[in-house]
Each structure stands twice: as structure tokens, then as C-alpha cells.
Amino acid sequence: MKGGIRYHPEVDLDEVNALAQLMTWKTAVVDIPYGGAKGGIGCVPKELSKSELERLTRVFTQKIHDLIGINTDVPAPDMGTNAQTMAWILDEYSKFHGHSLAIVTGKPVDLGGSLGREAATGRGVVYATEALLAEYGKHIKDMTFAIQGFGNVGAWAARIIHERGGKVVAVSDITGAVKNQNGLDIPALLNHKEATGTLAGFSGGDAMSSDELLTQECDVLIPCALGGVLNRENADSVKAKYIVEAANHPTDPDADEILSKKGVVILPDIYANAGGVTVSYFEWVQNIQGFMWDEEQVNRELKKYMTRAFHNLKNMCKSHNCNLRMGAFTLGVNRVARATQLRGWEA
């Protein structure tokens, strides 16, 4: 099984169960050999010191070391956790079971982490967007983008879109929002954010309220932050023609219905943000083989998996005459059902 461990104040059993189930379908959609898992600790990581986080992580690992394993459950980082968290889990797990590099993914490169892992989810979002636009005879360089959330996923997606000639016209995060109809200078914006810790005060664009981002004039809207941001209140005002769900569950069911009636094409989260788990799979494979790939190979394989998954998903939509979200779930559930049946587990 595969899934992230999140440190967040709203972690509860229902959320962890739901996210584990989503991981089951996500890994099936991109056709990597895992079931779904998830874990979490209810805490506010930014209020804890580094040594408190380390002690919390090590005690958590002591409690679960018999439940995780190279061939049973391989954790990864999620909200509030990072490569350092994975390094602590690796070290603590190894005290019980001996040195086991493949026990977690998303590790620091110095401890067997994969090159390209940090950018993987954002890069996967771009490959997914390219596959979707190609279906309509369009290219990233001809489109305008608005990106909600400028953390790891949003920042990497913005950077790669900018490199490919796409015009990122608006970006927001919890610190503020900035827009420029002629396209933002993303490298300059990244430098500004790193230097000041905020998007506010960036000279290469106009400030706006974060709420306006979702209804900004653009071709492609990419929500990269929290779930439920597109809802009954704002869905009618969305001007984008395509929505690529880089966050988990950013569109609630009401918004889904409203946007579909408007003809907005939504690329669902269980496919669009699967780049992270795909490169986690590559990291696990490299650790088991004891042979590390260069970054070009990681990115090449990621593109192959994301593009192939899109075509499989599109074929499912054609067979069942359904939208992309239903196609993705049908593809994932069918694969799990078939594997279950082949093992002789019929109810």
C-alpha cells in the first residue's frame, strides 16, 4: 500500500480513511502496483520545534513499525511533512528491522531519495495538462493559467508552465495574490516569495484578493491548495474553460454539477495529481534494485505513465459516455475489481 502521512490540526479517522480510499483508485488509475493507504497526526506542525517534531515522528514510528514494511505499507510525505520527516521514520524503523531504504519514499536524496521527487507532483500536473490540451488540439504555450496555491505543487507547476511558454496570469496563496494579464515573471516571483516569505508586494503584477483568483479570466485554472475551494457560491463565476485538480478534492459535488453544465472540462484529482505517487513508486523501485536513475530518466518515465494513464482514462470515457471524473473512477475501480476477482475473492 502507498500513501502520505500528514501532520495537520484537522486530521481525523474519517479523513484518513477517505484519503486512503482515494489513494487506492489513484494508484490504479496510473497503473502502479499498490493499494491505497494514509496516515496522520492531529497537530499544528508550525507551532512545534524541530526537536519536538522529531520526537513526535519517532514515537509514531515506534507505534506503527509492525504495520508498515517494504512490501506492506510504504509511507510518503503529505501536508505538514517533508523529506526530513521521512528520514526520521527511516532511521527509527531501521532500529527495529535493520537498514531498509525502501520503507519510505520522498526521502532526502542523500538517503536514497529519488531525483525529481520534489518537483514530481507539479511536473505530473503539467504532463496531465499537456495530455488534456492535446485532445483539443491546443498547447501550453497558447494558453493562460491561474494557479491557486503557491506551495510545492503550485510553484513547480507555475515554473514548468512558464518554461514551456505558457502565460501564468494570476497566482495566490495564504499570503496574498498577484495578477498580470501579460503573464507573471515566475522566476522573479519565486525569488520574491523566497526573500520575503509572501506574494504581497511583488512589483511585477497587481495585488488582488485571494478569493478573486478562482474567478480570474484565464483558459486553465489549477487549484493546488485545499479541498472544497470550488463550491456552489463561486462555481457560476468561474471563467476558465479547463480546471486541472492539482489539490485533493478541490471541487465539491455542487460545483461539479454547475461547472459541467457550463461546459467546463475538469481533469480530476485522482489522475491530475498522481505524479507524486508515481515518482514515489520509482523511488521504491530504485531502492529495491539498489540502482539510482538520473533525473532525465525519472521525468521521462513520469511523462510516459501520465500520458498513458490519460489515454486509458479517455478510452473509458468513450466506452461509457461519461465525463473525465467518472471515467477516472471507473478505470480505477475496474482495475481493482479485476485484480480482486483474478485472485478468487468473489463475494
Side-chain angles (χ1 to χ4, degrees):
M1 296 177 287
K2 193 96 194 75
I5 291 177
R6 57 175 51 183
Y7 290 1
H8 194 272
E10 287 164 31
V11 164
D12 64 38
L13 205 50
D14 287 342
E15 184 199 42
V16 169
N17 268 327
L19 290 167
Q21 190 179 51
L22 280 174
M23 285 304 300
T24 308
W25 314 132
K26 185 182 293 189
T27 52
V29 165
V30 283
D31 206 15
I32 54 180
Y34 292 132
K38 208 74 180 181
I41 298 178
C43 65
V44 184
K46 65 174 182 289
E47 290 178 5
L48 300 175
S49 69
K50 187 172 178 181
S51 91
E52 284 172 329
L53 281 168
E54 179 174 356
R55 293 201 302 277
L56 183 71
T57 303
R58 288 185 183 276
V59 172
F60 184 53
T61 309
Q62 288 163 21
K63 307 280 186 197
I64 65 166
H65 74 89
D66 277 334
L67 303 173
I68 60 176
I70 290 168
N71 293 307
T72 41
D73 184 343
V74 180
D78 201 298
M79 285 166 70
T81 57
N82 56 22
Q84 178 61 73
T85 321
M86 297 304 109
W88 292 327
I89 294 175
L90 166 68
D91 186 66
E92 196 62 30
Y93 181 86
S94 298
K95 290 177 186 175
F96 295 94
H97 301 276
H99 188 57
S100 311
L101 272 188
I103 183 54
V104 284
T105 58
K107 301 181 292 293
V109 173
D110 311 21
L111 289 176
S114 178
L115 294 168
R117 173 66 187 86
E118 192 201 335
T121 308
R123 192 176 291 281
V125 165
V126 177
Y127 290 151
T129 306
E130 282 182 323
L132 174 69
L133 293 176
E135 195 68 22
Y136 294 89
K138 298 183 188 315
H139 302 278
I140 281 181
K141 63 179 169 41
D142 308 321
M143 310 296 271
T144 57
F145 297 81
I147 297 176
Q148 190 226 15
F150 207 56
N152 174 281
V153 180
W156 275 107
R159 181 182 287 157
I160 297 163
I161 286 166
H162 184 77
E163 283 168 8
R164 281 166 160 64
K167 208 182 272 187
V168 181
V169 294
V171 166
S172 75
D173 68 3
I174 49 171
T175 67
V178 60
K179 65 179 176 182
N180 183 338
Q181 273 312 115
N182 299 317
L184 292 159
D185 181 344
I186 297 299
L189 183 59
L190 286 162
N191 291 339
H192 172 81
K193 172 92 190 272
E194 199 168 315
T196 64
T198 174
L199 291 178
F202 178 62
S203 58
D206 304 320
M208 63 174 183
S209 91
S210 298
D211 297 341
E212 284 178 60
L213 187 284
L214 297 165
T215 56
Q216 185 64 24
E217 193 78 53
C218 64
D219 297 316
V220 184
L221 171 63
I222 308 181
C224 301
L226 293 169
V229 292
L230 290 164
N231 48 46
R232 184 186 294 172
E233 277 71 56
N234 59 14
D236 223 11
S237 311
V238 169
K239 298 181 186 72
K241 303 171 193 72
Y242 306 94
I243 294 172
V244 178
E245 295 187 333
N248 283 324
H249 194 58
T251 315
D252 77 9
D254 288 339
D256 222 359
E257 208 170 303
I258 295 165
L259 291 163
S260 294
K261 281 183 183 149
K262 284 177 65 174
V264 178
V265 177
I266 302 174
L267 197 58
D269 53 352
I270 62 165
Y271 162 67
N273 65 25
V277 71
T278 304
V279 175
S280 274
Y281 164 58
F282 299 160
E283 182 177 328
W284 178 77
V285 167
Q286 291 169 77
N287 292 156
I288 285 172
Q289 289 183 328
F291 180 79
M292 304 311 284
W293 304 351
D294 61 31
E295 195 164 347
E296 288 76 21
Q297 185 176 353
V298 173
N299 293 342
R300 194 167 58 244
E301 290 293 322
L302 175 59
K303 181 165 191 173
K304 188 165 84 184
Y305 271 73
M306 292 301 289
T307 309
R308 185 173 61 202
F310 180 78
H311 293 309
N312 290 335
L313 161 55
K314 198 71 195 158
N315 289 338
M316 196 56 87
C317 294
K318 284 175 186 156
S319 314
H320 294 274
N321 193 22
C322 61
N323 65 16
L324 290 164
R325 189 184 307 285
M326 190 54 77
F329 275 105
T330 309
L331 178 62
V333 173
N334 272 357
R335 279 190 172 143
V336 173
R338 180 162 165 74
T340 306
Q341 257 178 343
L342 287 167
R343 295 179 68 176
W345 287 10
E346 281 108 325

